[in-house]
Amino acid sequence: MLSFFKGVFLFTVILLIGSGWSFFKPYLTHKERRVILFVIVLQIIDNIAVVVLTHETVSERLYNDWSTVLHLVDILSCCAVLVPIVWQVNSLEESAEVGSVSTQIGIGEDGDDGNKESTSTLMQDATEDNDKVESSRIQAKLELFRSFYLIVVAYIYFTRIVIYLFASSLKYNQTWLRYLVSELGTLVFYFAVGMKFKPVVEVSYSQLSNQVDDYDDNDALEYGKEGNIELGGLKGKIGKD
């Protein structure tokens, strides 16, 4: 029973992180919910296979059949947890491409029209700055989920292949080392994921917009002072004439 809850919680947490739940959106899509339900059903079958294997003798037909089912279910579960991560990476790549295209279009328009007024130029610069900030945030999240995908793949490879090869080389009185190494690998995986997704302080858009507004107000004030000085000088010249 403990192994059942351990497997369900492990794969469910990986699925929730990979789908971006509570990181990009506070909900799950229909496809993501179906994947989670599919993994839970696989874990139930996996737990049934483990119970049958503990009550059967090695090399019997029933034992071999359920052992095959156990390995098949485990492979399907490992493949299923990678699907939401791939979806999220593809979505972030598309968002990054759209952001880079919009930034290039904005730069091209700014270079073609050099006779715009000062206020509109400042507003366009502020918009480009916001686009650059958003593009950098998307790129950082893309790199984060790419690294998370590699970490999950490395964990699956280590616990399903490396541990099996390591256990096959152990003697009978050293089989406990297999479980020790497996649990240590799981602990390292938890630590790596926790460090990747730990809370960080980010600059909010409200602070950025306030700074832009202050910048625009100061520039407008200086521009107004310069315009009054020039207008006063022009009136003086007209009076003298």
Side-chain angles (χ1 to χ4, degrees), residues 7 19 91 115 126 212:
S19 61
S91 177
N115 297 323
V212 172

Side-chain angles (χ1 to χ4, degrees), residues 168-231:
S168 61
S169 64
L170 295 175
K171 297 180 180 180
Y172 179 78
N173 58 350
Q174 296 176 339
T175 53
W176 60 273
L177 291 175
R178 171 184 181 178
Y179 303 101
L180 176 63
V181 175
S182 179
E183 295 300 328
L184 288 177
T186 304
L187 181 62
V188 172
F189 171 74
Y190 289 156
F191 179 77
V193 173
M195 291 299 295
K196 283 289 182 180
F197 289 92
K198 66 179 180 180
V200 294
V201 179
E202 293 183 351
V203 178
S204 61
Y205 285 103
S206 60
Q207 295 177 356
L208 181 61
S209 60
N210 292 333
Q211 294 176 359
V212 172
D213 293 338
D214 295 338
Y215 177 74
D216 294 340
D217 294 338
N218 294 331
D219 286 345
L221 182 60
E222 293 179 359
Y223 181 76
K225 290 181 180 180
E226 293 177 357
N228 291 332
I229 293 173
E230 293 178 357
L231 183 60

Side-chain angles (χ1 to χ4, degrees), residues 100-110:
S100 62
V101 170
S102 62
T103 303
Q104 291 176 1
I105 293 174
I107 293 173
E109 291 177 353
D110 189 25

